[in-house]
């Protein structure tokens, strides 16, 4: 991946493809960031991800779409052009995870070390803006999650 994007660009690309609700968008962004580290050993976007009560959140993106609450984001953007590696990561994540609803994706992320570590010492419903360490995301997805299938990834 020759470029590290802004998370809003990645969010717009995802929105154009599947029009998720904000919670689902946040989980897909986190997963895409993780798989980018696993596939290419680098972040997909430069923005920080925080460990919020309902899972990983990119605050910059949250602010843009929070008004949609639990409804699909119905905006359509002009064609968002990404490099091949970024698009490959996103297509992989959508193929693997877009079939699930937001609450199921939340449950997945709540069982992953990067989010769990970011919530250490907090009550389950306690608000926090603690950043999820990018190195934790990279290590977790590279060592624990990524198991490429020959048909899915080449």
């Amino acid at each position: 991946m020759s470029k590290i994007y802004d998370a809003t660009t990645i969010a717009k690309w995802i929105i154009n493809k599947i029009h998720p609700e904000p919670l689902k968008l946040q989980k897909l962004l986190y997963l895409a960031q993780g798989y980018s580290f696993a596939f290419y050993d680098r972040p997909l976007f430069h923005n920080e991800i925080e460990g919020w009560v309902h899972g990983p959140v990119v605050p910059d993106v949250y602010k843009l779409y929070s008004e949609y609450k639990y409804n699909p984001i119905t905006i359509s953007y002009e064609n968002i052009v990404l490099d091949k590696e970024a698009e490959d990561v996103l297509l992989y994540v959508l193929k693997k995870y877009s079939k699930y609803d937001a609450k199921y994706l939340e449950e997945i992320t709540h069982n992953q070390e990067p989010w769990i570590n970011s919530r250490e010492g907090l009550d389950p419903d306690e608000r926090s803006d603690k950043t999820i360490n990018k190195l934790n995301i990279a290590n977790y997805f590279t060592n624990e999650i990524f198991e490429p299938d020959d048909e899915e990834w080449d």
Side-chain angles (χ1 to χ4, degrees):
M1 213 172 313
S2 57
K3 184 173 182 180
I4 298 175
Y5 294 90
D6 187 272
T8 57
T9 300
I10 302 303
K12 289 174 182 178
W13 188 94
I14 293 170
I15 290 165
N16 277 351
K17 294 289 183 195
I18 65 167
H19 298 284
E21 63 273 19
L23 183 64
K24 184 171 184 171
L25 175 63
Q26 291 293 336
K27 305 316 155 240
L28 293 172
L29 286 170
Y30 162 78
L31 292 165
Q33 183 80 310
Y35 281 104
S36 180
F37 280 117
F39 295 160
Y40 298 112
D41 197 31
R42 61 186 301 144
L44 179 60
F45 52 84
H46 65 80
N47 312 65
E48 297 295 342
I49 301 173
E50 295 179 358
W52 289 17
V53 171
H54 293 286
V57 171
V58 180
D60 300 337
V61 174
Y62 175 82
K63 291 172 194 160
L64 289 174
Y65 303 109
S66 62
E67 68 190 60
Y68 286 90
K69 301 191 190 292
Y70 297 102
N71 300 304
I73 301 167
T74 55
I75 300 170
S76 291
Y77 293 98
E78 293 290 321
N79 190 30
I80 307 293
V81 179
L82 304 175
D83 63 39
K84 182 180 180 342
E85 291 176 352
E87 196 164 290
D88 285 348
V89 166
L90 290 166
L91 289 171
Y92 179 87
V93 167
L94 290 185
K95 180 179 181 185
K96 189 170 175 96
Y97 294 102
S98 67
K99 61 189 166 202
Y100 301 116
D101 67 23
K103 291 310 262 180
Y104 183 74
L105 294 177
E106 178 181 324
E107 186 178 319
I108 288 172
T109 63
H110 278 205
N111 289 303
Q112 295 182 342
E113 285 178 20
W115 182 82
I116 292 168
N117 292 342
S118 76
R119 301 289 301 167
E120 189 174 340
L122 299 171
D123 291 331
D125 292 330
E126 188 175 345
R127 290 180 174 220
S128 172
D129 60 0
K130 187 175 176 187
T131 299
I132 298 176
N133 183 293
K134 284 183 180 155
L135 185 59
N136 287 348
I137 296 171
N139 288 338
Y140 182 76
F141 276 83
T142 301
N143 298 319
E144 303 293 330
I145 290 292
F146 182 52
E147 297 176 14
D149 295 326
D150 292 338
E151 311 88 77
E152 292 187 65
W153 191 260
D154 34 52

